[in-house]
Every structure is written in C-alpha cells, then in structure tokens.
Amino acid sequence: MKFSVLDRSPVRRDGGPARALRDTVAFAAGIERLGYHRFWVSEHHGVPGVAGSAPTVLAAAVAGATSRIRVGTGGVMLPNHRPLVVAEQFGVLEALHPGRIDMGLGRSVGFTGGVRDALGQGKDAADGFAAQVRELLGFFTGEHGYPGVHAYPAEGLRVPPFLLATGSGADLAAELGLPLVIAPVRGERALAEAVTRYRDGFRPSAWALEPYVVVSSAIAVADSAADARRLLVSEAWATVYSRSHGVFPPLDPPSDVLATPMTDRERRRLEETLDGQISGTPAEVRDRLGALIEAAGADEVLATTAAYDQSARLDSFAALARSAELPALV
C-alpha cells in the first residue's frame, strides 16, 4: 500500500498566502524524508484560505526542493485552461524532473461567479471535461485534431494522468483507462459503488493496463483521540464556514475555533465534518483507514490533512508513516 500527501497550501490566520506557499515547499521536503510516495498540490482561485492557485508552478518549486518523491497536482482544473498549455506545462516539468511528475486532473470551475467571470468560464465549462481530457492526452501522443501542432516538450513523453472524480467521474476514468482518485464525500457506500463501476467498466489504455484506485481522506494521528481530532478542527471549521458564508477563510487555531459562537446548525455540521474524517491513536487510525481501504478496494492512500500547527501536522504524518512502515530516508 502506497501512502501519499496532498497539500492545498492552507493560509493560516497569523500568516498569509506567500508564507503558506513557502510552508508547502518546506513541508514537502519533510514528507519526502518520511518515505511518502507522492506529494501533490492543488488549484483554487480567489479563496482567502488557500494559496495554491498555480499548481504547475508550485509543483516545479516542490520538485526542485526534493529529490525522490513523486510530485504532481491534485489537481489542475482542466476547464480553466487550454489543454495545449497544460500539456506544455507538464512536459516542461517532466523534462526537468524525469520520472517524478504526476498529472492529476479535475473538472471544477471557479467557486464564485466573479471568479468564473475572471477565468472566462461559466458553470457549464465542466460539461466539456471528457473532451478536454482526451485532447490533453492527445498532445502527449501526437494524436489530436490540430494538424502541424506539436506540444513541445510534452509530445512523446508519458506523464502519468490521474482523474479526480466523484460519482459519474469514475465512469470517465474507466472509459479512458486512467487511474482514479476518489474521496468518500458522499459516504463509503457511494464510494464503493463508484469504484465498482470503475473497475467493472475499465478499459486498458496506453496510460494504465489495469484499474488503479487512490482513496483520499483527511487523516490525523496523535497519542490520544482527542488530540488527533483537535488537529482537524481548524480546516473542518473553515469548511463549515464556507458553506454558511460562501468564503473559505484562513485557518484559525483550534482553541479559537472551539470558542467561536456557532449556531446549532454550524456546530452540528462541524461535528459531522470531523466524524467523516479519520483521526485517532495509531491503532484507531489503522482500523478505520483499513475499513476505508477495503471499501474502496484502494491501491493507494492520499492524505489531505491540513492543520493550524505545522509542526503538529508533520508529527501526525510521521506517526502515520511509522504505522504504515514507510521506508523513511536516512
């Protein structure tokens, strides 16, 4: 079982976006030393609490600061970009760091109308995602609909593509023969059903001969269940706040969050969000994570944990690495 990490470059209340990005690069070096397989960064636009807006640029910085760990995106939101440009960007990354680059692709568009307008996209931009993925992959193989166009240096290279999906997105991954990244956002039963459809409908391709499932979840490990759950409070509250106010804010310290006046609905949502994540002692996390892996038939785990305290977050990932017996660098 491979274990990997996705970092969205969360902004913390006492810092700012620039510091969050530098923290991501430093965090990646620590994750590499712990023996994790991949380190991915994300794409969000106009979000006060997330600094990761240019994933291929940030991936280049991460790859330059590390030497072994695979580096990629979780993911590039393809409806926001022209496939030719995305192919060229990943071609450059692969040329500079051969054999270490992953291309995770998602279909989300901007979170608000203003952001979508600034990106030049409407809500329906995601409807063309399947065609965009095909076009993007075609620029690597040279099989596309633009005579005389070559996506240098991507053409002829093989950067492993991954499809970030929920629900019907798993069907597209199966149709195109791509590895699938999926989270239990609608519960483990819905996740298991989507993965079953993916495996049953998978068509071998030049990119993957067999189905490959990466299951994603926030995971926190500490000496006590209470301490582990506390690590997840800051991001969980930012998620709840965004549902009520339409803005995902910078992370506050857990103590400040727990002292914040909340409506009954907000407090219930906070507890539900925390319950849907994985936290506890090493033994507790092994049990719950094992159940999720079994439900998903997963080949790999992608931990997405953010926390206000960077040191405590790295300690949590170190505990997870020890539990999973990852080959730490010496």
Side-chain angles (χ1 to χ4, degrees), residues 12-329:
R12 292 163 179 84
R13 186 68 66 184
D14 64 347
R19 178 173 172 182
L21 294 172
R22 293 193 296 268
D23 285 345
T24 287
V25 176
F27 183 56
I31 288 298
E32 178 177 61
R33 288 191 295 271
L34 292 173
Y36 284 86
H37 183 57
R38 311 179 201 274
F39 188 92
W40 284 2
V41 295
S42 66
E43 176 180 342
H44 296 271
H45 299 283
V47 180
V50 178
S53 57
T56 54
V57 177
L58 185 52
V62 169
T66 55
S67 61
R68 177 199 60 80
I69 196 169
R70 297 193 64 88
V71 177
T73 56
V76 165
M77 296 301 139
L78 200 50
N80 297 332
H81 310 279
R82 293 299 302 170
L84 171 62
V85 176
V86 175
E88 291 170 336
Q89 291 173 343
F90 278 97
V92 170
L93 285 169
E94 176 66 17
L96 294 174
H97 306 281
R100 292 183 56 210
I101 302 302
D102 299 322
M103 184 170 61
L105 306 169
R107 67 187 297 271
S108 295
V109 292
F111 185 60
T112 66
V115 170
R116 289 191 293 272
D117 288 344
L119 291 169
Q121 303 293 345
K123 282 186 176 181
D124 59 353
D127 295 342
F129 181 60
Q132 291 174 317
V133 173
R134 290 186 178 92
E135 185 175 310
L136 171 60
L137 298 179
F139 282 119
F140 286 90
T141 63
E143 300 168 334
H144 52 76
Y146 301 92
V149 175
H150 300 277
Y152 299 130
E155 188 172 299
L157 298 179
R158 287 294 183 269
V159 179
F162 294 75
L163 212 61
L164 280 64
T166 57
S168 62
D171 301 322
L172 178 61
E175 179 185 346
L176 298 180
L178 302 180
L180 173 69
V181 183
I182 190 166
V185 292
R186 298 189 178 100
E188 291 187 11
R189 181 177 178 179
L191 178 143
E193 291 172 351
V195 169
T196 297
R197 292 199 316 273
Y198 167 70
R199 291 190 179 278
D200 289 346
F202 185 86
R203 301 177 183 175
S205 71
W207 303 99
L209 297 178
E210 297 178 345
Y212 190 88
V213 176
V214 182
V215 65
S216 179
S217 177
I219 304 171
V221 187
D223 290 338
S224 73
D227 286 345
R229 189 176 178 91
R230 188 179 178 87
L231 279 175
L232 300 177
V233 163
S234 299
E235 186 182 38
W237 169 245
T239 300
V240 170
Y241 185 91
S242 71
R243 292 175 184 169
S244 302
H245 299 80
V247 176
F248 189 96
L251 302 186
D252 283 317
S255 57
D256 290 1
V257 171
L258 296 175
T260 298
M262 300 180 195
T263 65
D264 291 342
R265 185 179 186 184
E266 287 175 331
R267 191 167 297 280
R268 183 175 65 255
R269 282 184 168 179
L270 176 60
E271 293 302 317
E272 289 172 352
T273 300
L274 290 169
D275 289 343
Q277 299 172 338
I278 296 175
S279 66
T281 64
E284 291 169 336
V285 167
R286 273 196 302 271
D287 289 345
R288 188 163 176 193
L289 186 55
L292 177 60
I293 291 169
E294 183 177 359
D299 301 288
E300 183 174 337
V301 172
L302 180 69
T304 64
T305 311
Y308 184 84
D309 187 329
Q310 280 278 69
S311 178
R313 179 166 71 145
L314 190 59
D315 288 344
S316 172
F317 275 103
L320 179 61
R322 289 192 298 271
S323 179
E325 298 181 350
L326 301 186
L329 296 183

